[in-house]
């Protein structure tokens, strides 16, 4: 006889056979049935439990199919493996906290003005995106209509004529940097990065096994003459150096392309917020100056939202082919859902209209922020572009103190220190002005911000560069 | 005087100042203005061109801001850098062909039955997805509502109770394998893979710098006893071994978890089509047997469409934390657009309804295909699950011949050979049956398929395993 308590609930939705299989599985897991033990015949068990033999036979079939029992008929049925105990407690980790502290204003750089994206525009784009049916196989290069839309966006807003065939969809800039590291560069290669620079690009390069070598930056961006000779590639932000805010002058652009050509090195041009310029027209892209050596990366993160996971890469044939080869081999490639939404926004003209609003709003916010700082004798550093400025501070200790004090006051700031791949030789804070929902929200945070910074910022470093 | 032809079009939409700046830039690019050359004063040039001085001053300002000219006033204005020639021809590569040859039926494995996804269901999901506003910062772990929806999907369709906090969104299975390779394993680590196995996982591991060591597979899946001792992880498909179609028996599951525990190794459980089983109920997931050593990967690719770019990872705290750390450092993370659509499909119950339709349809297609093959004396190999079977062939030469002949007849097939990380010790073709839009489309392709395979498949290998 089966020395196992089996309680079947005839009123339950779960079939009796499944209930019996559960009970036997649990008995084995609890140690009440052991490997080698013989189970009663299906007929005898059916009689004991007052169920039809169909029920016991189905339960045994299930356990047999699962591999816990074997044999059956003739020689009898035996337990051949013991299932794991069903965990009473959840074996998975404790919840990761998704909440954050109450915040007066998020002034970290990198966030777009998502509140400025009109709800009707957003909805219209998603509705249009639903019009095309799902694909059966991933399009590793991206959806053809997305690549065409990106080419249109680039020529309209960045002045570069590019064939849609030379455009690849990416999951965003850092995802593209990772792909380039794995597909185009070799493990152990040295990549020059701006110092200070964009920490996530450095993180992506290092995580992919590349050596990162810092190269100095001045008010105009990357100092090309100081690039390390052994670099196989350089990652840079020529339109709006992150974080210092300079724009690479034309002569240095030519110099950088020449540098790359002489070494057969690659230039990765991260044009993260190149659409956002409030004074003069932008310079020609590096990709226009050196289409044979420049890999251009763009993103929807700063002009729309990072959560679409939409970016693009435009580059020479060899690079495009290598990235596609990598994607095919590794089964990788950007998701297409965000591409659909972005395409709809370009095709309707809504993206261009939204961009005009964003430029107008962010230029006004920059003016508001810079003026508030100036009245307190604080000079903001960085071009009239993008969505952040830098306030120089005396040293790293002051920087840490200001960031901590700001957090205490409900203001999220980033220190310059986190933008260094090596030891920091400057100190300061980066102030992003796009995240607050309205200009009034930003204005409301300014008094507290100015109080914090006064005294912390050395007058000596308050250069008259506010209006660069 | 300026020895450069300047033609300004007063009727054009483009401002005169911009036209003038263009003309000067192009003159420099064409070599008609050289570095060091002096430009006329703005007033003199304005007189020459019969425009106001505002126009010439604005043009000089622009060129000055761009860095091509310097000086101005007093000493005069000089060319300091020469812009690149504007390319006449597009410097970007020739279009990548996105078209494919006319196809009677796509019988490669891996495609889902996208035609079975009802248009109204698809549209409803996208419309619901549009309801939430865009986020300002990426949620590296995935959207909270998506993680909850995945936990619900896993418990309902895969029988595993999992805390949403232990679930991470991924961009798909191979993207997750790449992340694990970069975040959890170390460069140079050995990872055991099934041989034959899923080639894209092998590609992802190799591209991330890991050593791949093949481990043998039999009718029941991975042969745990033959795993290489030095492996730091094993990648496997226990629910439905890809491509041979076996299901890892319970005893081997316990053995595999024990193997991993003894070595502090990881088991990567790729549950790519675990929701699709047509006979017995599925076995407990490896993640249930060994929650401390198993990293479970799921995907929407096989039950919906790969183009949403939606997958998930559930694993021990340490793994989840490491992946999140990696994502934060490298600025990586899955796009959220697809997560919104998937969440809407789960929340409405549409995904469960769709899954029932898919199971019913694919079970019927499998029966249709296996019967057609059986009447011709051809035995299909693989469990009653998923969306493909394997037809063994005599040798790799026959395999190549069949694949090529099929392609000539408009039938896309994959050979077994591509599933080998090392030299192939089996030959055959994998036949996917989910891609055709309707069962009739599949049926229409069967006569040509059977003709191709008759004679090519050796009777000796036609084991009576069609109904496993």
């Amino acid at each position: 006889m089966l020395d196992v308590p089996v309680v079947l609930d005839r009123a339950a939705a779960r079939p009796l056979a499944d209930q019996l299989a559960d009970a036997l599985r649990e008995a084995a897991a609890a140690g009440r049935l052991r490997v080698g033990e013989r189970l009663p015949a299906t007929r005898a068990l059916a009689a004991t439990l007052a169920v039809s033999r169909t029920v016991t036979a189905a339960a045994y079939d299930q356990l047999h199919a699962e591999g816990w029992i074997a044999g059956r008929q003739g020689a009898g049925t035996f337990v051949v493996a013991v299932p794991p105990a069903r965990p009473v407690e959840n074996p998975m980790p404790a919840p990761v906290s998704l909440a954050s502290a109450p915040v007066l204003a998020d002034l970290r750089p990198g966030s777009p003005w998502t509140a400025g994206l009109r709800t009707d525009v957003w909805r219209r784009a998603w509705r249009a995106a639903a019009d095309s049916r799902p694909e059966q196989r991933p399009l590793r290069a991206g959806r053809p209509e997305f690549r065409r839309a990106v080419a249109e966006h680039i020529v309209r807003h960045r002045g570069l004529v590019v064939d849609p065939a030379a455009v690849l969809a990416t999951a965003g800039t850092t995802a593209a940097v990772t792909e380039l590291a794995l597909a185009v560069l070799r493990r152990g290669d040295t990549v020059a990065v701006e110092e200070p620079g964009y920490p996530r690009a450095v993180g992506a390069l290092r995580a992919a096994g590349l050596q990162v070598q810092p190269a100095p930056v001045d008010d105009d961006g990357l100092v090309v003459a100081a690039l390390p000779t052994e670099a196989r590639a350089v990652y840079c932000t020529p339109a709006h150096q992150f974080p210092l805010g300079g724009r690479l002058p034309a002569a240095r652009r030519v110099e950088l392309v020449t540098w790359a050509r002489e070494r057969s090195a690659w230039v990765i041009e991260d044009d993260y917020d190149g659409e956002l310029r409030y004074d003069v027209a932008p310079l020609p892209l590096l990709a226009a100056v050196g289409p044979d050596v420049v890999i251009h990366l763009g993103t929807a993160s700063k002009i729309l939202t990072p959560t679409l996971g939409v970016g693009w890469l435009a580059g020479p044939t060899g690079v495009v082919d290598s990235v596609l080869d990598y994607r095919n081999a590794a089964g990788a490639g950007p998701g297409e859902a965000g591409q659909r939404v972005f395409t709809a926004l370009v095709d309707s003209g809504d993206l261009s209209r939204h961009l005009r609003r964003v430029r107008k709003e962010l230029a006004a916010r920059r003016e508001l922020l810079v003026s508030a700082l100036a009245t307190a004798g604080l000079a903001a550093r960085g071009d009239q572009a993008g969505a952040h400025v830098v306030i120089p501070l005396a040293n790293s200790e002051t920087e840490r103190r200001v960031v901590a004090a700001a957090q205490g006051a409900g203001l999220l700031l980033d220190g310059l220190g986190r933008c260094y791949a090596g030891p920091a030789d400057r100190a300061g804070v980066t102030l992003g002005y796009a995240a607050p929902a309205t200009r009034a929200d930003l204005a409301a945070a300014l008094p507290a911000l100015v109080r914090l910074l006064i005294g912390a910022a050395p007058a000596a470093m308050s250069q008259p560069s506010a209006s660069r």
Side-chain angles (χ1 to χ4, degrees), chain A:
Chain A
M1 268 319 299
L2 186 68
D3 185 24
V4 163
V6 173
V7 181
L8 302 181
D9 177 0
R10 282 169 174 76
R14 193 160 169 72
L16 289 175
D18 291 351
Q19 292 186 42
L20 177 55
D22 289 349
L24 293 173
R25 226 187 269 108
E26 277 157 25
R32 288 196 298 273
L33 277 177
R34 292 172 187 284
V35 170
E37 201 160 331
R38 185 179 189 154
L39 292 179
T42 52
R43 191 178 305 271
L45 184 59
T48 310
L49 298 174
V51 297
S52 88
R53 205 187 139 222
T54 329
V55 170
T56 53
Y60 278 28
D61 276 351
Q62 177 63 38
L63 294 174
H64 185 257
E66 292 180 9
W68 307 119
I69 62 176
R72 263 197 99 193
Q73 288 176 347
T77 304
F78 297 90
V79 176
V80 294
V82 168
R86 195 170 281 266
V88 181
E89 293 293 317
N90 189 322
M92 294 302 185
V96 174
S97 170
L98 295 171
S100 52
V103 167
L104 172 62
D106 183 351
L107 302 177
R108 295 171 299 174
S111 292
W113 183 40
T114 47
L117 186 59
R118 286 169 42 169
T119 300
D120 59 334
V121 165
W122 182 245
R123 276 183 195 281
R124 185 157 59 227
W126 281 80
R127 226 171 283 135
D131 279 349
S132 42
R133 299 263 325 158
E135 313 279 343
Q136 220 155 25
R137 296 200 160 242
L139 300 167
R140 305 262 177 228
R143 297 175 67 82
E145 52 272 40
F146 171 79
R147 299 163 73 192
R148 194 220 356 97
V150 166
E152 196 180 316
H153 175 79
I154 295 180
V155 72
R156 186 179 297 168
H157 296 289
R158 304 300 288 122
L160 177 70
V161 178
V162 54
D163 190 320
V167 172
L168 296 182
T170 72
T173 297
T174 42
V177 169
T178 298
E179 288 190 317
L180 291 172
L182 296 175
V184 176
L185 299 168
R186 283 163 200 273
R187 229 173 310 289
D189 274 359
T190 295
V191 179
V193 298
E194 295 166 334
E195 182 83 325
Y198 182 46
R200 296 201 198 285
V202 172
L205 291 166
R206 283 183 171 155
L210 300 192
Q211 301 296 320
V212 164
Q213 184 137 346
V217 160
D218 63 17
D219 279 354
D220 287 330
L222 182 67
V223 180
V224 178
L227 277 173
T229 48
E230 70 275 28
R232 299 285 313 123
V234 52
Y235 162 88
C236 56
T237 50
H240 188 218
Q241 202 275 327
F242 187 88
L244 297 186
R247 185 179 53 155
L248 204 63
R252 279 204 205 164
R253 289 175 188 242
V254 174
E255 194 187 349
L256 179 54
V257 165
T258 306
W259 176 91
R261 283 184 179 142
E262 280 170 357
R263 280 161 190 77
S264 301
W266 297 111
V267 179
I268 303 173
E269 173 179 44
D270 179 355
D271 194 51
Y272 66 106
D273 65 3
E275 295 92 344
L276 306 176
R277 184 96 215 165
Y278 316 126
D279 48 1
V280 294
L283 277 182
L285 290 176
L286 276 183
V289 180
D292 50 328
V293 290
V294 175
I295 304 163
H296 175 79
L297 303 181
T299 177
S301 290
K302 309 304 173 196
I303 55 175
L304 282 168
T305 165
T307 62
L308 281 178
V310 165
W312 48 87
L313 175 160
T317 317
V319 170
V320 167
D321 288 351
S322 295
V323 171
L324 280 176
D325 284 350
Y326 163 75
R327 289 182 180 177
N328 279 318
E336 294 171 28
Q339 293 173 38
R340 288 166 177 255
V341 176
F342 184 87
T343 305
L345 286 167
V346 170
D347 287 351
S348 64
D350 279 332
L351 182 59
S352 286
R353 278 185 289 274
H354 173 65
L355 255 178
R356 278 198 291 276
R357 294 185 67 212
V358 170
R359 282 198 202 98
K360 204 174 146 194
E361 172 67 20
L362 294 188
R365 289 187 182 197
R366 189 182 188 286
E367 190 55 39
L368 177 71
L369 173 62
V370 167
S371 307
L373 293 167
T375 55
L378 297 162
R381 185 176 169 164
D383 277 15
Q384 291 185 35
H388 76 276
V389 294
V390 168
I391 307 294
L393 294 173
N395 53 50
S396 298
E397 183 43 41
T398 310
E399 175 184 316
R400 267 190 296 276
R401 203 163 33 74
V402 168
V403 170
Q407 193 151 24
L411 298 176
L412 300 186
L413 307 182
D414 274 349
L416 259 193
R418 62 198 302 280
C419 297
Y420 279 82
D425 61 359
R426 288 181 184 86
V429 289
T430 47
L431 300 177
Y433 45 81
T438 66
R439 214 177 306 169
D441 292 337
L442 174 64
L446 291 182
L449 177 69
V450 168
R451 268 197 306 280
L452 267 166
L453 290 172
I454 286 181
M461 294 191 70
S462 303
Q463 305 132 337
S465 56
S467 60
R468 281 196 62 225

